Coordinates of all heavy atoms in Angstrom, one line a residue:
N84 N -45.1 58.1 20.0 CA -43.9 57.4 19.6 C -43.8 55.9 20.1 O -43.4 55.0 19.4 CB -42.6 58.2 20.2 CG -42.5 59.5 19.5 OD1 -43.0 59.7 18.4 ND2 -41.8 60.4 20.2
H85 N -44.2 55.7 21.4 CA -44.2 54.4 21.9 C -45.2 53.5 21.2 O -44.9 52.3 20.9 CB -44.5 54.4 23.4 CG -43.3 54.8 24.3 ND1 -42.3 53.9 24.5 CD2 -43.0 56.0 24.9 CE1 -41.4 54.5 25.3 NE2 -41.8 55.8 25.5
A86 N -46.4 54.0 20.9 CA -47.4 53.2 20.1 C -46.8 52.9 18.7 O -47.0 51.7 18.3 CB -48.7 54.0 20.0
D87 N -46.2 53.9 18.1 CA -45.7 53.7 16.8 C -44.5 52.7 16.8 O -44.4 51.8 15.9 CB -45.2 55.0 16.2 CG -45.5 55.2 14.7 OD1 -46.1 54.3 14.1 OD2 -45.1 56.3 14.2
N88 N -43.7 52.8 17.9 CA -42.6 51.9 18.0 C -43.1 50.4 18.2 O -42.4 49.5 17.6 CB -41.8 52.2 19.3 CG -40.5 51.4 19.5 OD1 -39.8 51.2 18.5 ND2 -40.3 50.9 20.7
A89 N -44.1 50.2 18.9 CA -44.7 48.8 19.0 C -45.0 48.2 17.6 O -44.8 47.1 17.3 CB -45.9 48.8 19.9
R90 N -45.7 49.1 16.8 CA -46.0 48.6 15.5 C -44.8 48.3 14.6 O -44.7 47.4 13.9 CB -46.9 49.6 14.8 CG -48.3 49.7 15.3 CD -49.2 50.6 14.5 NE -48.8 52.0 14.6 CZ -49.3 52.9 15.5 NH1 -50.2 52.5 16.3 NH2 -48.9 54.1 15.5
M91 N -43.8 49.2 14.8 CA -42.5 49.0 14.0 C -41.8 47.8 14.4 O -41.3 47.0 13.6 CB -41.6 50.2 14.2 CG -42.2 51.5 13.7 SD -41.9 51.7 11.9 CE -40.2 52.0 11.9
L92 N -41.8 47.5 15.7 CA -41.1 46.2 16.2 C -41.8 45.0 15.6 O -41.1 44.1 15.2 CB -41.1 46.2 17.7 CG -40.2 47.1 18.4 CD1 -40.5 47.1 19.9 CD2 -38.7 46.6 18.2
A93 N -43.1 45.0 15.5 CA -43.8 43.9 14.9 C -43.5 43.8 13.4 O -43.3 42.7 12.9 CB -45.4 44.1 15.1
E94 N -43.4 44.9 12.7 CA -43.1 44.9 11.3 C -41.7 44.3 11.1 O -41.4 43.5 10.2 CB -43.1 46.3 10.7 CG -44.5 46.8 10.4 CD -44.4 48.2 9.7 OE1 -43.7 48.3 8.7 OE2 -45.0 49.2 10.2
E95 N -40.7 44.8 11.9 CA -39.4 44.3 11.8 C -39.2 42.8 12.1 O -38.5 42.1 11.5 CB -38.4 45.1 12.7 CG -38.3 46.6 12.2 CD -37.3 47.3 13.1 OE1 -37.6 47.8 14.2 OE2 -36.1 47.5 12.6
T96 N -40.0 42.4 13.1 CA -39.9 41.0 13.5 C -40.4 40.1 12.4 O -39.9 39.0 12.2 CB -40.8 40.7 14.8 OG1 -40.2 41.6 15.9 CG2 -40.7 39.3 15.3
A97 N -41.4 40.5 11.7 CA -42.0 39.8 10.6 C -41.1 39.8 9.3 O -41.3 39.0 8.4 CB -43.4 40.3 10.3
D98 N -40.2 40.8 9.2 CA -39.4 41.0 8.0 C -38.0 40.6 8.2 O -37.2 41.4 8.6 CB -39.5 42.5 7.6 CG -38.8 42.8 6.3 OD1 -38.2 41.8 5.7 OD2 -38.8 43.9 5.9
T99 N -37.7 39.3 8.0 CA -36.3 38.8 8.2 C -35.6 38.5 6.8 O -34.5 38.0 6.8 CB -36.3 37.6 9.1 OG1 -37.1 36.6 8.5 CG2 -36.8 37.9 10.5
E100 N -36.2 38.9 5.7 CA -35.6 38.7 4.4 C -34.3 39.4 4.4 O -34.2 40.6 4.6 CB -36.5 39.2 3.3 CG -36.0 38.9 1.9 CD -36.9 39.4 0.8 OE1 -38.0 39.8 1.1 OE2 -36.4 39.3 -0.4
G101 N -33.2 38.7 4.0 CA -31.9 39.3 3.9 C -31.2 39.5 5.2 O -30.0 40.0 5.2
V102 N -31.7 39.0 6.3 CA -31.0 39.1 7.6 C -30.0 37.9 7.6 O -30.3 36.8 7.5 CB -32.0 39.0 8.7 CG1 -31.2 38.9 10.1 CG2 -32.9 40.2 8.8
V103 N -28.7 38.3 7.8 CA -27.6 37.3 7.7 C -26.6 37.6 8.8 O -26.6 38.7 9.4 CB -26.9 37.2 6.4 CG1 -27.8 36.8 5.2 CG2 -26.3 38.6 6.1
A104 N -25.8 36.6 9.2 CA -24.8 36.8 10.2 C -23.7 37.7 9.6 O -23.3 37.6 8.4 CB -24.2 35.5 10.6
I105 N -23.1 38.5 10.5 CA -21.9 39.3 10.1 C -20.8 38.3 9.9 O -20.7 37.3 10.7 CB -21.5 40.3 11.3 CG1 -22.6 41.4 11.4 CG2 -20.1 40.8 11.1 CD1 -22.6 42.4 10.3
P106 N -19.9 38.4 8.9 CA -18.8 37.5 8.8 C -18.0 37.3 10.0 O -17.6 38.2 10.7 CB -17.9 38.2 7.7 CG -18.9 38.9 6.9 CD -19.9 39.5 7.9
G107 N -17.8 36.0 10.4 CA -17.1 35.7 11.6 C -17.9 35.5 12.8 O -17.4 35.0 13.9
A108 N -19.2 35.9 12.8 CA -20.0 35.8 14.0 C -20.2 34.4 14.6 O -20.2 34.3 15.8 CB -21.4 36.5 13.7
H109 N -20.4 33.4 13.7 CA -20.6 32.1 14.2 C -19.4 31.6 15.0 O -19.5 31.1 16.1 CB -20.8 31.1 13.0 CG -22.1 31.3 12.3 ND1 -22.3 32.1 11.2 CD2 -23.4 30.7 12.6 CE1 -23.5 32.0 10.8 NE2 -24.2 31.2 11.6
D110 N -18.2 31.8 14.4 CA -17.0 31.3 15.1 C -16.7 32.2 16.4 O -16.2 31.6 17.4 CB -15.8 31.4 14.2 CG -15.9 30.3 13.0 OD1 -16.6 29.4 13.2 OD2 -15.2 30.5 12.0
F111 N -17.0 33.4 16.3 CA -16.8 34.3 17.4 C -17.6 33.9 18.6 O -17.1 33.8 19.7 CB -17.1 35.8 17.0 CG -17.0 36.8 18.1 CD1 -15.8 37.1 18.6 CD2 -18.1 37.4 18.6 CE1 -15.7 38.1 19.7 CE2 -18.1 38.3 19.6 CZ -16.8 38.7 20.2
L112 N -18.9 33.7 18.4 CA -19.8 33.2 19.5 C -19.4 31.9 20.0 O -19.5 31.6 21.2 CB -21.3 33.2 19.0 CG -21.9 34.6 18.8 CD1 -23.3 34.4 18.2 CD2 -22.0 35.4 20.1
A113 N -19.0 31.0 19.1 CA -18.5 29.7 19.5 C -17.3 29.8 20.5 O -17.2 29.0 21.4 CB -18.2 28.8 18.3
A114 N -16.4 30.7 20.2 CA -15.2 30.9 21.0 C -15.6 31.5 22.4 O -14.7 31.5 23.2 CB -14.3 31.8 20.3
L115 N -16.8 32.0 22.5 CA -17.2 32.6 23.8 C -17.8 31.6 24.8 O -18.2 31.9 25.9 CB -18.2 33.7 23.6 CG -17.6 34.9 22.8 CD1 -18.7 36.1 22.8 CD2 -16.3 35.4 23.3
D116 N -17.8 30.3 24.4 CA -18.3 29.3 25.3 C -17.5 29.3 26.6 O -16.3 29.1 26.5 CB -18.2 27.9 24.6 CG -18.9 26.8 25.4 OD1 -19.8 27.1 26.2 OD2 -18.4 25.6 25.3
G117 N -18.2 29.5 27.7 CA -17.5 29.5 29.0 C -16.9 30.9 29.3 O -16.4 31.1 30.4
V118 N -17.0 31.9 28.4 CA -16.6 33.3 28.6 C -17.9 34.1 29.1 O -18.9 34.0 28.4 CB -16.0 33.9 27.4 CG1 -15.7 35.4 27.6 CG2 -14.7 33.2 27.0
P119 N -17.8 34.8 30.1 CA -19.0 35.7 30.5 C -19.3 36.7 29.4 O -18.4 37.5 29.0 CB -18.5 36.4 31.8 CG -17.5 35.5 32.3 CD -16.7 34.9 31.2
H120 N -20.5 36.6 28.9 CA -20.9 37.5 27.8 C -22.4 37.7 27.8 O -23.1 36.8 28.3 CB -20.4 37.1 26.4 CG -21.0 35.8 25.9 ND1 -20.6 34.6 26.4 CD2 -21.9 35.6 24.9 CE1 -21.3 33.6 25.8 NE2 -22.1 34.2 24.9
A121 N -22.8 38.8 27.2 CA -24.3 39.1 27.2 C -24.6 39.8 25.9 O -23.8 40.6 25.4 CB -24.7 39.9 28.4
L122 N -25.8 39.6 25.4 CA -26.3 40.4 24.3 C -27.0 41.6 24.9 O -27.8 41.5 25.8 CB -27.4 39.6 23.5 CG -27.9 40.2 22.2 CD1 -26.8 40.1 21.1 CD2 -29.1 39.5 21.8
V123 N -26.6 42.8 24.4 CA -27.2 44.1 24.8 C -27.7 44.8 23.6 O -27.0 45.4 22.9 CB -26.2 45.0 25.6 CG1 -26.9 46.2 26.1 CG2 -25.6 44.2 26.8
T124 N -29.0 44.7 23.4 CA -29.6 45.2 22.1 C -30.8 46.1 22.3 O -31.5 46.0 23.4 CB -30.1 44.0 21.3 OG1 -30.8 44.4 20.1 CG2 -31.0 43.0 22.1
S125 N -31.0 47.0 21.4 CA -32.2 47.9 21.4 C -33.4 47.2 20.9 O -34.5 47.7 21.0 CB -31.9 49.1 20.6 OG -30.9 49.9 21.2
A126 N -33.3 46.0 20.4 CA -34.4 45.2 19.9 C -35.1 44.6 21.2 O -34.5 44.4 22.2 CB -34.0 44.1 19.0
D127 N -36.4 44.2 21.0 CA -37.1 43.5 22.1 C -36.8 42.0 21.9 O -36.1 41.6 21.0 CB -38.6 43.9 22.1 CG -39.3 43.4 20.9 OD1 -38.7 42.8 20.0 OD2 -40.5 43.7 20.8
V128 N -37.4 41.2 22.9 CA -37.1 39.8 22.8 C -37.6 39.2 21.5 O -36.8 38.4 20.9 CB -37.9 39.1 24.0 CG1 -37.8 37.6 23.9 CG2 -37.2 39.5 25.3
A129 N -38.8 39.5 21.0 CA -39.3 38.9 19.8 C -38.4 39.2 18.6 O -38.1 38.3 17.8 CB -40.7 39.4 19.6
L130 N -38.0 40.5 18.5 CA -37.2 40.9 17.3 C -35.8 40.3 17.4 O -35.2 39.8 16.4 CB -37.1 42.4 17.3 CG -36.3 43.0 16.1 CD1 -36.7 42.4 14.8 CD2 -36.3 44.5 16.1
S131 N -35.2 40.3 18.6 CA -33.8 39.7 18.7 C -33.8 38.2 18.5 O -32.9 37.7 17.8 CB -33.2 40.0 20.1 OG -34.0 39.5 21.2
T132 N -34.9 37.5 18.9 CA -35.0 36.1 18.7 C -35.2 35.8 17.2 O -34.5 34.9 16.7 CB -36.2 35.5 19.5 OG1 -36.0 35.7 20.9 CG2 -36.4 34.0 19.2
A133 N -36.0 36.6 16.5 CA -36.2 36.4 15.1 C -35.0 36.6 14.3 O -34.6 35.9 13.4 CB -37.4 37.3 14.6
R134 N -34.2 37.7 14.6 CA -33.1 38.0 13.8 C -31.9 37.1 14.1 O -31.2 36.7 13.1 CB -32.7 39.5 14.0 CG -33.6 40.5 13.3 CD -33.1 41.9 13.4 NE -34.0 42.7 12.6 CZ -34.1 44.0 12.7 NH1 -33.4 44.7 13.6 NH2 -34.9 44.7 11.9
M135 N -31.7 36.7 15.3 CA -30.6 35.8 15.6 C -30.9 34.4 14.9 O -30.0 33.8 14.4 CB -30.4 35.6 17.1 CG -29.9 36.9 17.8 SD -28.1 37.2 17.4 CE -27.3 36.0 18.6
A136 N -32.2 34.0 15.0 CA -32.6 32.7 14.3 C -32.4 32.8 12.8 O -31.9 31.9 12.2 CB -34.0 32.4 14.7
A137 N -32.8 33.9 12.2 CA -32.7 34.1 10.8 C -31.2 34.1 10.3 O -30.9 33.6 9.2 CB -33.3 35.4 10.3
A138 N -30.3 34.6 11.2 CA -28.9 34.6 10.9 C -28.2 33.3 11.3 O -27.0 33.1 11.0 CB -28.2 35.7 11.6
G139 N -29.0 32.3 11.9 CA -28.4 31.1 12.3 C -27.4 31.2 13.5 O -26.5 30.4 13.6
L140 N -27.7 32.1 14.4 CA -26.8 32.3 15.5 C -27.5 31.9 16.8 O -28.7 32.2 17.0 CB -26.4 33.8 15.6 CG -25.6 34.4 14.4 CD1 -25.4 35.9 14.6 CD2 -24.3 33.7 14.3
E141 N -26.8 31.4 17.7 CA -27.3 31.0 19.0 C -27.4 32.2 19.9 O -26.5 33.1 19.9 CB -26.5 29.9 19.7 CG -26.6 28.6 19.1 CD -26.0 27.5 19.9 OE1 -25.9 27.7 21.2 OE2 -25.6 26.4 19.4
Q142 N -28.5 32.3 20.7 CA -28.6 33.4 21.6 C -27.7 33.2 22.8 O -27.6 32.2 23.4 CB -30.1 33.4 22.2 CG -31.1 33.8 21.1 CD -31.3 35.2 20.9 OE1 -30.6 36.1 21.5 NE2 -32.3 35.6 20.1
P143 N -27.0 34.3 23.2 CA -26.3 34.2 24.5 C -27.3 34.0 25.6 O -28.5 34.4 25.6 CB -25.7 35.6 24.6 CG -25.5 36.1 23.2 CD -26.7 35.5 22.5
R144 N -26.8 33.3 26.7 CA -27.7 33.0 27.8 C -28.2 34.3 28.5 O -29.4 34.3 28.9 CB -26.9 32.2 28.8 CG -27.7 31.7 30.0 CD -26.9 30.9 31.0 NE -25.8 31.7 31.5 CZ -25.8 32.6 32.5 NH1 -27.0 32.8 33.1 NH2 -24.8 33.2 32.9
V145 N -27.4 35.3 28.6 CA -27.8 36.6 29.2 C -28.1 37.6 28.1 O -27.3 37.8 27.2 CB -26.7 37.1 30.1 CG1 -27.1 38.5 30.7 CG2 -26.3 36.1 31.2
R146 N -29.3 38.1 28.2 CA -29.7 39.1 27.2 C -30.3 40.3 27.9 O -31.2 40.2 28.8 CB -30.8 38.5 26.3 CG -30.3 37.5 25.3 CD -31.3 37.1 24.2 NE -32.4 36.3 24.8 CZ -33.5 36.0 24.1 NH1 -33.7 36.5 22.9 NH2 -34.4 35.2 24.6
V147 N -29.9 41.5 27.5 CA -30.5 42.7 27.9 C -31.2 43.3 26.7 O -30.5 43.7 25.7 CB -29.5 43.7 28.5 CG1 -30.2 45.0 28.9 CG2 -28.8 43.1 29.7
T148 N -32.5 43.3 26.7 CA -33.3 43.7 25.5 C -34.1 45.0 25.9 O -34.0 45.6 27.0 CB -34.3 42.6 25.1 OG1 -35.2 42.4 26.2 CG2 -33.6 41.3 24.7
A149 N -34.9 45.5 24.9 CA -35.6 46.7 25.1 C -36.5 46.7 26.3 O -36.7 47.7 27.0 CB -36.4 47.0 23.8
E150 N -37.1 45.5 26.6 CA -37.9 45.4 27.8 C -37.2 45.5 29.1 O -37.8 45.8 30.1 CB -38.7 44.0 27.8 CG -39.5 43.8 26.6 CD -38.8 43.0 25.5 OE1 -37.6 43.1 25.5 OE2 -39.5 42.3 24.7
S151 N -35.9 45.3 29.1 CA -35.1 45.3 30.3 C -34.6 46.6 30.8 O -34.1 46.7 31.9 CB -33.8 44.5 30.0 OG -34.1 43.2 29.5
V152 N -34.8 47.7 30.0 CA -34.2 49.0 30.4 C -35.3 50.1 30.3 O -36.3 50.0 29.5 CB -33.0 49.4 29.5 CG1 -31.9 48.4 29.7 CG2 -33.4 49.4 28.0
G153 N -35.0 51.2 30.9 CA -35.9 52.3 30.9 C -35.4 53.4 29.9 O -36.2 54.4 29.7
A154 N -34.2 53.3 29.5 CA -33.6 54.3 28.6 C -32.9 53.6 27.4 O -32.3 52.6 27.6 CB -32.7 55.2 29.4
S155 N -33.0 54.2 26.3 CA -32.3 53.7 25.1 C -30.9 54.2 25.0 O -30.5 55.2 25.5 CB -33.1 54.2 23.8 OG -32.4 54.0 22.6
K156 N -30.1 53.4 24.3 CA -28.7 53.8 23.9 C -29.0 55.2 23.2 O -29.9 55.3 22.5 CB -28.1 52.9 22.9 CG -27.8 51.5 23.5 CD -27.3 50.5 22.4 CE -27.2 49.1 23.0 NZ -26.8 48.1 21.9

Side-chain angles (χ1 to χ4, degrees):
N84 293 337
H85 280 286
D87 222 0
N88 184 46
R90 289 189 290 270
M91 295 281 285
L92 285 169
E94 284 186 52
E95 290 184 282
T96 301
D98 182 359
T99 57
E100 182 180 354
V102 174
V103 296
I105 293 291
H109 290 92
D110 291 342
F111 177 70
L112 287 174
L115 298 186
D116 185 30
V118 172
H120 66 285
L122 189 73
V123 182
T124 175
S125 293
D127 63 4
V128 169
L130 180 56
S131 61
T132 299
R134 283 187 175 161
M135 291 288 280
L140 298 174
E141 288 192 22
Q142 293 275 6
R144 182 181 59 81
V145 178
R146 287 190 286 171
V147 179
T148 61
E150 299 95 334
S151 309
V152 296
S155 170
K156 299 172 185 175

